[in-house]
Amino acid sequence: MKLKSSSIFINDLRLYARHGVMEQEQRVGAWFLVCVRVHYNIYRAMESDSIRHALSYADVVEVVREEMNQPSRLLEHAAGRIANAILDRFPQAMSVDLKLTKENPPMGVDCAGAGVEIRCKRKDDNV
């Protein structure tokens, strides 16, 4: 078998955080949903069935939690920090897809959420 692509993902991680442009948003906080996909070669983990060869979901969640605990005015900034931290912490990670949604943001309308999606890859001088 030849592995064409692989990743781990975490969907709808719900965290309370203090991100927002308005002072009230940073003081009171709000609920956020984070979806993250980390692309890496899972072949060794598939073959060995050993956690030593896998990228731990729990470790990725811990990185997301740490970064979400640091207030940002913009979701773009928070999302960039999270993706950067994942790429820094896990050398086997090739790229990160991240969706950060603020539930019911203060926009004067009722909506399930608004946010940002990013795709970041490791810097590679050869590309």
Side-chain angles (χ1 to χ4, degrees):
M1 167 176 64
K2 182 174 179 168
L3 184 64
K4 292 183 82 175
S5 68
S6 55
S7 59
I8 63 166
F9 65 91
I10 299 155
N11 279 335
D12 295 335
L13 175 62
R14 192 166 188 248
L15 300 167
Y16 198 82
R18 300 178 190 281
H19 305 306
V21 173
M22 297 184 295
E23 185 182 322
Q24 176 77 1
E25 293 174 285
Q26 291 196 2
R27 192 171 55 249
V28 175
W31 287 101
F32 294 83
L33 293 174
V34 180
C35 297
V36 64
R37 178 176 298 274
V38 181
H39 299 269
Y40 84 106
N41 188 335
I42 69 169
Y43 185 78
R44 287 185 71 197
M46 284 173 37
E47 293 293 312
S48 71
D49 195 26
S50 172
I51 189 65
R52 288 190 345 246
H53 300 132
L55 201 157
S56 166
Y57 307 103
D59 291 346
V60 172
V61 166
E62 188 55 35
V63 170
V64 172
R65 188 177 287 142
E66 288 169 9
E67 294 300 324
M68 287 294 288
N69 280 334
Q70 297 179 43
S72 288
R73 292 175 53 83
L74 300 177
L75 294 184
E76 292 86 345
H77 185 256
R81 278 198 346 261
I82 293 167
N84 230 3
I86 290 170
L87 291 171
D88 285 347
R89 182 91 52 100
F90 307 106
Q92 67 271 49
M94 296 179 285
S95 63
V96 175
D97 297 336
L98 187 121
K99 179 178 176 183
L100 177 55
T101 305
K102 185 173 200 169
E103 292 184 350
N104 199 22
M107 300 187 304
V109 296
D110 189 27
C111 73
V116 298
E117 288 187 60
I118 62 172
R119 172 172 284 167
C120 301
K121 71 175 195 165
R122 187 172 297 289
K123 289 181 183 176
D124 186 352
D125 296 335
N126 297 327
V127 177

